[in-house]
Amino acid sequence: MTDRYAVIGHPVAHSKSPWIHAEFARTCGQDIEYTRIEARLDGFERAVDAFRAGGGKGLNVTLPFKEAAFRYCSRPSERARRAGVVNTLSFGAQSSGDTTDGIGLVTDLGKQGVRLKGVRVLLMGAGGAAQGVAGALLDAGVAALVIANRTVGRARALAERFPGLRACGYGDLEGKTFDLIINATSAGLEDKAPALPSGVMGKAAFAYDMVYGRDTPFLASARAAGARTSDGLGMLVEQAAESFFIWRGVKPDTGPVLARLRAA
Ligand code: NAP
């Protein structure tokens, strides 16, 4: 019998995950079906329960349900517990939860030749995406990790979860420079950028926007400052590969899938 998986979110119609997982399944010879579930904002648990009752094996969880997924699962992994978010649910007698955004980001950065050990990193945003990657960046041995957010209290709350992380507002960054600047805000989706003081982005910096499929104002200003840049398409594919591995025990080759997405 074909095992069933899906991505659940609101909205979810734009999600590339069904295509990515279909490619992984095809190239790894795995018999799976992967669909989309648009849950009502107040209907996450009900939608997950219904999917499980129908024999569903696992879910990817996207905006705005990653914290709800953490609360839902009975067996969160260590890294999910640390982050307080889950993007991968697996169902058996119990529900296990993991977060693969962090490993997805770190793998993509590594493939682009970006060193993490000993570098100074600015992480912008304090939502589900920032929550999911902060632990992986600290584990990769960065020299400093500063988290800046429009709503400073949210950044401070995140810093309390992760010893070693420092929180502030964008205005507090005046006069500071970083080797790697990661935009984990959704500002780019509205063609906006966080109000970063000029000078924070040096010529030697690498600027990474988790938003993908569009040239965001953040990436444009980074290029203008002479920085190297990347969107988040590679992270999307790498985090999906980690989810696929959790479910199927097989690691897909991500290179050709990313190349085909870029070409499209
Ligand atoms: P979220 O929980 O809704 O958080 C949104 C964040 O963006 C908050 O920190 C918010 O600040 C900030 N923000 C929104 N508009 C802003 C603006 N105009 N100026 C400054 N800050 C602004 O969303 P999320 O789950 O963290 O996701 C964030 C982005 O990452 C989304 O675009 C998502 O698609 C992307 N993402 C990509 C991948 C990937 O694989 N590439 C994985 C995960 C997420 P406040 O707290 O002040 O509201």
Side-chain angles (χ1 to χ4, degrees):
M1 209 171 114
T2 303
D3 288 339
R4 292 175 50 226
Y5 300 88
V7 57
I8 184 168
H10 182 112
V12 81
H14 66 284
S15 174
K16 297 188 193 312
S17 293
W19 185 85
I20 293 171
H21 281 275
E23 277 302 289
F24 288 167
R26 189 180 63 77
T27 53
C28 295
Q30 296 279 311
D31 181 20
I32 70 162
E33 176 193 284
Y34 190 111
T35 54
R36 294 181 179 85
I37 299 173
E38 172 124 2
R40 287 172 47 142
L41 287 175
D42 62 353
F44 174 75
E45 283 197 16
R46 218 168 336 143
V48 178
D49 285 344
F51 182 74
R52 285 179 79 179
K57 295 278 187 205
L59 287 169
N60 279 135
V61 183
T62 186
L63 260 166
F65 297 129
K66 288 182 183 178
E67 285 173 335
F70 174 72
R71 290 192 295 273
Y72 181 95
C73 73
S74 50
R75 290 178 49 209
S77 68
E78 180 50 40
R79 58 188 179 191
R81 222 191 317 266
R82 210 168 147 212
V85 287
V86 155
N87 77 340
T88 308
L89 286 166
S90 312
F91 306 124
Q94 290 184 310
S95 53
S96 307
D98 205 343
T99 175
T100 64
D101 282 342
I103 182 84
L105 171 68
V106 167
T107 303
D108 185 38
L109 286 170
K111 286 188 175 178
Q112 298 196 54
V114 180
R115 207 165 61 100
L116 288 172
K117 204 166 176 50
V119 307
R120 292 177 46 77
V121 182
L122 170 63
L123 181 59
M124 302 194 292
Q131 248 171 286
V133 303
L137 290 169
L138 289 168
D139 291 348
V142 299
L145 180 57
V146 176
I147 184 149
N149 195 42
R150 183 175 58 180
T151 311
V152 184
R154 223 174 153 193
R156 291 208 181 102
L158 184 48
E160 277 168 22
R161 300 188 79 96
F162 294 96
L165 206 159
R166 275 179 294 144
C168 64
Y170 294 116
D172 303 321
L173 295 168
E174 193 74 60
K176 302 209 165 55
T177 55
F178 296 88
D179 308 303
L180 171 62
I181 303 176
I182 300 167
N183 186 9
T185 76
S186 50
L189 296 177
E190 300 166 355
D191 274 333
K192 292 183 180 148
L196 209 54
S198 61
V200 171
M201 190 113 57
K203 254 205 282 286
F206 190 94
Y208 191 99
D209 201 325
M210 287 193 194
V211 167
Y212 49 83
R214 57 167 76 206
D215 192 27
T216 62
F218 167 71
L219 290 182
S221 67
R223 268 198 316 274
R228 281 174 66 208
T229 62
S230 171
D231 74 355
L233 197 61
M235 172 181 171
L236 179 77
V237 176
E238 296 298 343
Q239 62 78 29
E242 291 296 327
S243 296
F244 192 87
F245 178 68
I246 289 168
W247 292 328
R248 310 301 298 179
V250 191
K251 208 55 170 289
D253 184 5
T254 52
V257 174
L258 179 57
R260 285 190 61 194
L261 273 176
R262 283 242 180 268

